[in-house]
Every structure is written in C-alpha cells, then in structure tokens.
Amino acid sequence: MSLPTDHELWAVARRSQMVVLPEKIDNDLRAELRDAFNDGRQSTRFDMQAVVVEIARNGHPAHIDHSGGNAATIYAGSQHTDQIGDARWAVTAGPGWFARPDHREPVADTSEFQIGPDDDTWTIAVPDHTSPAEAAALIVAVIEQVTEGRARLTESPPLPVQIHGHDQSDAAEEEPTRGQAHD
C-alpha cells in the first residue's frame, strides 16, 4: 500500500467534519497533517528484545536488565570496571519498561529512549518512529565510538605527573629513606 500524496491527504482531511481546512494547501498545516498521519500509522513503541537481537547480529554482546521500578535498560558492548570499582558497559540505552509481569516483554517509546556511554557523559535521543533495527544501528555506532575513544586513551603515551614540582620518576629517586639525610 502506497502512502497518500500531499494532495490526497489534504483532500481526505478537508472532508472531515472535525477540521476546517482551506481549499488551497497551506504548507505549515500540510506539515502538521503529515506528522499527524505518520503518528497514527507508525508506532513510537518498539520491542527492546528485537534491538538486543540486532546488536548481537552485529557482533556485540547485549542484554536487557531491570534497572529499578519497572524500568528496562539495554546494556551493550564490552564490560569494564570504573574508577570506583563498579561494573560498567560500553553503552546503555533506555529507559523502557516491562509490559508483562516477571520482567517480560521489554518495550520502549522513542519519545523517551536515549543512548549513550554507561558513564552518563552524554546521550542521544532516537528519532520518532525509530524501528528496532534503527535503534540497534545507533547503539552499535555508539559502541564503536566508545571503543575507539578508549583505544586512543590506552595507546597514548603516559602524561608526566608532577609531585611537589618534580616529575614523578624524579620524585621517587629524590625521596629520602627514613633515617637517612638527604644531600
């Protein structure tokens, strides 16, 4: 089934008893009418489990976990331990919720769904009417960006650390041992 043209959509809307539209198409009203039509035929909800399956097809680990209340969160990419010892994933995505008891059937709405690194430094919103495959593609792109950023940090030469005005390597050599005079 093909989508109606702007003229067809306008003509159908003009026949409605609830809306009074001019005969000539108004571009601003046309845009609003098209958005309302799309909202009515395309759901903003999607199946989070389908997103996890797509992420796995792209070679990345992913799972959905309960994250408080009835909230569902996707955890994806490599796992690491942060500076305070908490387990973190490359990417988190959510929130969603469980449509059935016992944390089954996780779903999300595009109006609330955000994707970003698990350290909460930034997030991106998914566009309205995003499909599970499109959400997965965005998550995979963020995983790859986070992984690339970590690789750059681990490949960088160590930065000199200053302790009391001395380079760290000099500080260890100049530190006098207990009971010895320093010259």
Side-chain angles (χ1 to χ4, degrees):
M1 179 177 154
S2 65
L3 297 176
T5 66
D6 288 343
H7 290 287
E8 292 168 335
L9 190 58
W10 193 263
V12 169
R14 284 198 69 222
R15 286 193 294 259
S16 168
Q17 299 294 321
M18 299 187 325
V19 178
V20 178
L21 294 174
E23 188 172 329
K24 185 178 177 196
I25 294 177
D26 176 290
N27 286 333
D28 292 333
L29 291 175
R30 180 199 44 82
E32 288 181 39
L33 183 60
R34 178 63 67 186
D35 287 343
F37 175 80
N38 288 339
D39 285 344
R41 71 178 185 82
Q42 296 177 328
S43 176
T44 58
R45 279 192 189 174
F46 60 89
D47 177 358
M48 292 174 73
Q49 191 60 47
V51 174
V52 167
V53 168
E54 284 297 315
I55 295 168
R57 282 189 184 140
N58 282 279
H60 298 284
H63 73 278
I64 300 166
D65 208 351
H66 173 256
S67 54
N70 193 38
T73 301
I74 295 174
Y75 298 91
S78 62
Q79 191 176 22
H80 65 282
T81 304
D82 68 12
Q83 293 175 337
I84 59 172
D86 292 335
R88 298 283 185 184
W89 292 86
V91 173
T92 58
W97 66 94
F98 295 98
R100 297 186 47 113
D102 300 326
H103 302 136
R104 294 182 302 164
E105 292 186 28
V107 294
D109 191 289
T110 57
S111 66
E112 301 173 337
F113 200 75
Q114 302 277 317
I115 301 167
D118 193 12
D119 61 8
D120 295 327
T121 52
W122 55 269
T123 62
I124 57 170
V126 298
D128 287 342
H129 314 295
T130 297
S131 71
E134 292 166 332
L138 287 170
I139 291 170
V140 167
V142 173
I143 290 169
E144 291 170 357
Q145 183 175 4
V146 167
T147 302
E148 182 181 303
R150 283 195 191 123
R152 271 195 310 257
L153 288 175
T154 59
E155 294 169 2
S156 298
L159 297 173
V161 177
Q162 299 289 316
I163 300 175
H164 303 295
H166 298 283
D167 186 26
Q168 185 177 18
S169 58
D170 294 340
E173 293 171 14
E174 293 179 7
E175 189 73 39
T177 57
R178 185 171 281 182
Q180 292 183 344
H182 183 61
D183 40 35

